[in-house]
C-alpha cells in the first residue's frame, strides 16, 4: 500500500502553456485553425486521484479574422483583432490511471470541461490607426432604445481533449486542444444588423460611420439600415491548442506510509 501512495505522492503541479489561438464566428464561420495567433499562459493542476484532477489556468492570447480570408461575404469587408485574457477552472478525467514513479503507467489521454471568465476588446485598423470598436456602437448601440453597448467581459465554457506524459517524479509534459463556447456574440463586434449609416455619420462622425460599413472601401454600396450584418442566432467561439510543461511541487501525502508502518509494528508486537 505504501508503494502505491509513493507512486502518487506529488499532488500539485505548476507550469506553462505555449501554443496557438483562433476564433470561430461571423468572420470565420466554421473554419478551425484559421488565422492563428500565439497564445500562452500559466497552469496549476491538483491531482486528487490517478484519474481525476482540477486545473486552473491564466491564459493570454490574440484572435483575428477578416472577410477577405473567410468563406464568402467578401463585399462586407469587415475585420477585427482582439486580445483575450482568460481565467478558468477545469476538471480533468484521465482515461488511464496516471502515476509518476517508475514501474507504473506514466501517460494518459484525458478530457476536460469547466468554466471561465474572459476579457476581450475588438479593434480594427483604419487609415493606419487602430480603433476600439465597442465604444463606437457600430450597430447603433446607444442610439436605439433597448440596444445598449455590450460588455467587454464575459463567461465561457472550456472543453477539450489532451495527452499527459510524466517524465520521472517531478516533470510532466502534455498536448491539449480546447474550445471555448462563449456567452457573447460580440467577440468580433458583429452580431445583428446595419444601423442607418447616414444617421450614424450625423450623430457620431465620419470615422464611426466608415468603420460600421466598410463596403465602399472595395467599391461596394452602403448597406441599408436593418440589413443583415451578422448572425445573432449563434455566439462566438475561441480556441487554444498547444503544449504544456509542469513541475510537481509539495503536497506529499504520507498517510498510507504511516498506516503501513503502524500495521507492521502491530504485527511485530503480536509475534513477540
Amino acid at each position: 500500500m505504501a508503494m502505491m501512495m509513493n507512486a502518487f505522492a506529488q499532488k500539485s503541479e505548476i507550469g506553462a502553456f505555449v501554443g496557438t489561438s483562433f476564433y470561430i464566428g461571423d468572420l470565420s464561420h466554421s473554419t478551425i485553425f484559421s488565422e492563428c495567433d500565439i497564445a500562452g499562459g500559466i497552469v496549476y493542476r491538483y491531482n486528487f486521484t490517478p484519474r481525476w484532477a482540477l486545473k486552473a489556468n491564466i491564459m493570454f492570447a490574440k484572435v483575428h479574422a477578416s472577410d477577405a480570408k473567410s468563406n464568402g461575404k467578401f463585399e462586407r469587408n469587415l475585420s477585427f483583432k482582439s486580445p483575450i485574457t482568460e481565467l478558468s477552472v477545469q476538471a480533468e478525467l484521465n482515461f488511464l490511471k496516471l502515476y509518476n514513479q517508475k514501474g507504473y503507467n506514466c501517460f494518459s489521454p484525458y478530457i476536460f470541461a469547466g468554466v471561465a471568465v474572459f476579457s476581450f476588446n475588438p479593434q480594427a485598423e483604419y487609415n493606419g490607426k487602430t480603433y476600439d470598436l465597442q465604444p463606437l456602437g457600430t450597430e447603433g448601440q446607444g442610439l436605439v432604445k433597448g440596444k445598449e453597448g455590450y460588455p467587454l467581459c464575459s463567461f465561457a465554457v472550456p472543453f477539450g481533449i489532451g495527452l499527459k506524459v510524466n517524465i520521472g517524479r517531478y516533470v510532466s509534459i502534455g498536448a491539449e486542444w480546447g474550445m471555448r463556447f462563449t456567452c457573447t456574440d460580440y467577440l468580433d463586434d458583429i452580431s445583428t444588423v446595419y444601423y442607418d449609416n447616414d444617421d450614424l455619420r450625423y450623430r457620431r462622425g465620419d470615422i464611426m460611420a466608415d468603420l460600421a460599413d466598410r463596403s465602399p472601401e472595395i467599391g461596394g454600396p452602403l448597406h441599408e439600415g436593418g440589413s443583415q450584418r451578422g448572425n445573432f442566432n449563434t455566439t462566438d467561439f475561441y480556441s487554444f491548442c498547444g503544449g504544456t510543461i509542469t513541475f510537481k511541487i509539495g503536497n506529499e501525502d504520507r498517510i498510507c506510509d504511516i498506516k503501513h508502518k503502524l500495521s507492521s509494528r502491530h504485527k511485530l508486537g503480536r509475534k513477540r
Side-chain angles (χ1 to χ4, degrees):
M1 191 172 183
M3 287 183 64
M4 288 296 291
M5 180 51 71
N6 285 338
F8 185 65
Q10 305 293 122
K11 290 193 171 184
S12 289
E13 305 174 28
I14 191 167
F17 169 93
V18 177
T20 62
S21 56
F22 64 89
Y23 132 102
I24 295 176
D26 289 292
L27 286 174
S28 69
H29 308 287
S30 60
T31 305
I32 63 174
F33 295 102
S34 175
E35 301 186 65
C36 291
D37 287 277
I38 296 175
I42 301 171
V43 179
Y44 172 78
R45 178 182 288 118
Y46 188 86
N47 299 287
F48 289 100
T49 73
R51 294 288 297 275
W52 285 98
L54 189 68
K55 180 174 65 182
N57 288 338
I58 302 176
M59 306 291 282
F60 305 95
K62 290 183 179 179
V63 293
H64 74 279
S66 66
D67 277 327
K69 296 182 179 180
S70 68
N71 300 320
K73 294 189 177 180
F74 300 109
E75 75 282 354
R76 194 173 51 180
N77 195 37
L78 295 175
S79 63
F80 91 106
K81 62 180 180 180
S82 176
I84 291 177
T85 301
E86 176 195 274
L87 176 63
S88 70
V89 177
Q90 304 161 19
E92 296 180 342
L93 172 61
N94 298 326
F95 291 169
L96 305 173
K97 289 186 177 181
L98 186 62
Y99 300 101
N100 58 356
Q101 183 169 312
K102 187 176 180 180
Y104 294 88
N105 182 59
C106 65
F107 75 95
S108 177
Y110 65 95
I111 56 175
F112 68 87
V115 293
V117 60
F118 71 99
S119 64
F120 63 104
N121 183 28
Q123 302 170 320
E125 300 286 339
Y126 181 68
N127 288 339
K129 294 183 179 180
T130 299
Y131 293 88
D132 294 338
L133 296 174
Q134 187 259 12
L136 303 184
T138 55
E139 294 184 353
Q141 293 94 338
L143 299 178
V144 180
K145 186 177 180 180
K147 191 174 185 178
E148 304 301 326
Y150 54 87
L152 294 178
C153 186
S154 185
F155 294 97
V157 178
F159 59 94
I161 58 175
L163 175 68
K164 305 173 191 173
V165 180
N166 285 333
I167 302 175
R169 293 187 61 186
Y170 300 106
V171 179
S172 179
I173 61 173
E176 182 176 289
W177 177 29
M179 297 294 294
R180 269 62 173 173
F181 175 81
T182 76
C183 296
T184 181
D185 192 31
Y186 281 105
L187 187 58
D188 49 18
D189 189 61
I190 304 168
S191 180
T192 58
V193 297
Y194 284 94
Y195 185 75
D196 182 83
N197 199 262
D198 290 335
D199 188 52
L200 190 63
R201 191 176 302 276
Y202 172 74
R203 299 173 70 175
R204 291 190 170 171
D206 291 339
I207 292 177
M208 296 184 185
D210 290 344
L211 285 168
D213 190 345
R214 306 191 67 170
S215 295
E217 294 179 37
I218 56 173
L222 286 171
H223 291 82
E224 294 183 4
S227 61
Q228 186 176 3
R229 190 171 187 261
N231 182 6
F232 63 89
N233 292 315
T234 61
T235 58
D236 297 326
F237 286 75
Y238 64 93
S239 175
F240 294 125
C241 182
T244 60
I245 180 168
T246 57
F247 301 91
K248 318 281 185 179
I249 56 172
N251 294 331
E252 287 194 331
D253 189 344
R254 301 186 181 279
I255 294 175
C256 287
D257 284 331
I258 294 170
K259 287 182 178 179
H260 177 77
K261 291 175 182 178
L262 288 174
S263 177
S264 298
R265 290 175 183 175
H266 179 68
K267 289 178 180 178
L268 287 171
R270 290 178 61 184
K271 287 180 180 180
R272 290 176 181 175

